[in-house]
């Protein structure tokens, strides 16, 4: 029951996050002005969002990255959510806003090559698809953060269990040594007792002879 409740909370949170709106606007890649799609993330951790974006394109979708000005570029590759055609996909993650009110923005520019960026003016259907996919990325970041935290906690738990196993083995060794030492101690005490008795016997003999 508890697992179901947690799952419902995650799904509900994901649905809230995916409600983020996408802004279609003119952005600059170097000196070139093109149409881009901008998502303001729910997460304010810019490094987390960057890591999630890399994981999304390079691990989940197997695309190879290069650099184009300040953008990460996935050049002339098919991106399954868009279809089988090759695209140039420019991505940028950056912090915006003032020091105490910073947001993280994700910008995507999808081009058919030579900076021919898809826009709602040139292709409404493709533009809507890009917006929908980028909108769902906000929820992806949230789920990625949970998976990352769980992976880190699982790693910590594995290390702690390994440490505990080593400690238990050392404890057993020490207990065995203590058992042996206690036996040695009892033997030494028994030998000491015999020695004390011999000392008393010899002292009695000496005393008797001196009387």
């Amino acid at each position: 029951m508890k697992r179901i409740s947690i799952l419902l909370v995650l799904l509900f949170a994901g649905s809230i996050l995916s409600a983020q709106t996408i802004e279609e606007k003119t952005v600059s890649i170097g000196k070139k002005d093109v149409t881009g799609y901008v998502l303001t993330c729910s997460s304010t951790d810019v490094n987390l969002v960057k890591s999630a974006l890399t994981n999304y394109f390079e691990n989940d979708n197997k695309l190879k990255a290069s650099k184009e000005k300040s953008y990460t570029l996935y050049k002339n590759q098919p991106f399954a959510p868009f279809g089988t055609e090759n695209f140039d996909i420019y991505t940028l993650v950056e912090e915006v806003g003032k020091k105490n009110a910073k947001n993280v923005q994700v910008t995507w520019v999808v081009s058919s090559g030579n900076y021919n960026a898809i826009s709602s003016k040139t292709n409404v259907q493709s533009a809507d698809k890009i917006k929908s996919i980028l909108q769902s990325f906000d929820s992806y970041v949230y789920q990625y953060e949970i998976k990352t935290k769980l992976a880190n906690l699982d790693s910590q738990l594995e290390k702690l269990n390994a440490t505990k196993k080593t400690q238990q083995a050392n404890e057993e060794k020490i207990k065995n040594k203590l058992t042996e030492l206690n036996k040695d101690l009892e033997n030494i005490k028994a030998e000491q007792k015999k020695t004390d008795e011999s000392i008393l016997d010899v002292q009695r003999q000496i005393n008797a002879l001196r009387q």
Side-chain angles (χ1 to χ4, degrees):
M1 189 68 183
K2 188 175 181 181
R3 282 178 174 270
I4 294 173
S5 298
I6 292 172
L7 180 60
L8 288 174
V9 169
L10 293 177
L11 290 174
F12 179 69
S15 66
I16 293 174
L17 291 173
S18 62
Q20 297 293 102
T21 57
I22 307 301
E23 184 180 4
E24 183 176 348
K25 58 190 285 189
T26 299
V27 299
S28 296
I29 303 177
K31 295 181 179 180
K32 187 74 175 178
D33 290 336
V34 294
T35 299
Y37 301 88
V38 181
L39 163 71
T40 299
C41 287
S42 300
S43 174
T44 56
D45 186 339
V46 66
N47 291 323
L48 170 69
V49 177
K50 285 180 179 180
S51 180
L53 189 68
T54 298
N55 189 73
Y56 179 71
F57 280 109
E58 297 175 28
N59 293 334
D60 292 357
N61 289 287
K62 310 303 180 186
L63 300 187
K64 294 182 179 179
S66 57
K67 295 298 292 184
E68 178 76 16
K69 308 302 179 182
S70 57
Y71 284 76
T72 297
L73 170 60
Y74 300 95
K75 187 174 180 62
N76 194 32
Q77 298 172 70
F79 179 53
F82 291 166
T84 56
E85 185 182 347
N86 284 14
F87 295 94
D88 293 343
I89 304 171
Y90 300 82
T91 68
L92 177 66
V93 179
E94 57 187 343
E95 283 185 324
V96 297
K98 296 180 180 179
K99 185 176 181 180
N100 296 324
K102 285 188 175 181
N103 291 312
V104 176
Q105 285 187 344
V106 178
T107 301
W108 287 9
V109 174
V110 182
S111 167
S112 56
N114 298 319
Y115 297 105
N116 294 316
I118 295 171
S119 72
S120 55
K121 291 181 180 179
T122 59
N123 191 325
V124 175
Q125 187 175 0
S126 294
D128 287 344
K129 186 181 287 188
I130 293 167
K131 290 175 185 177
S132 177
I133 295 169
L134 181 54
Q135 187 178 65
S136 69
F137 179 72
D138 198 51
S139 179
Y140 179 90
V141 173
Y142 178 77
Q143 297 297 333
Y144 177 80
E145 181 177 18
I146 292 173
K147 289 178 182 178
T148 301
K149 286 180 177 179
L150 283 173
N152 288 336
L153 289 171
D154 284 340
S155 177
Q156 288 179 37
L157 185 60
E158 185 177 352
K159 289 177 181 177
L160 287 170
N161 281 328
T163 299
K164 182 180 178 181
K165 190 174 181 179
T166 300
Q167 290 171 337
Q168 287 175 329
N170 289 336
E171 180 185 12
E172 194 63 30
K173 287 179 182 178
I174 291 171
K175 283 180 178 179
N176 290 335
K177 284 183 179 180
L178 282 173
T179 300
E180 292 176 7
L181 289 171
N182 283 329
K183 286 181 181 178
D184 291 342
L185 182 60
E186 290 301 318
N187 290 334
I188 289 172
K189 285 181 178 180
E191 290 173 1
Q192 256 186 344
K193 185 178 179 181
K194 289 180 181 179
T195 301
D196 288 340
E197 289 173 352
S198 296
I199 289 171
L200 288 174
D201 181 58
V202 171
Q203 189 66 54
R204 280 195 297 268
Q205 291 180 51
I206 292 171
N207 290 341
L209 291 170
R210 285 180 175 170
Q211 286 180 355

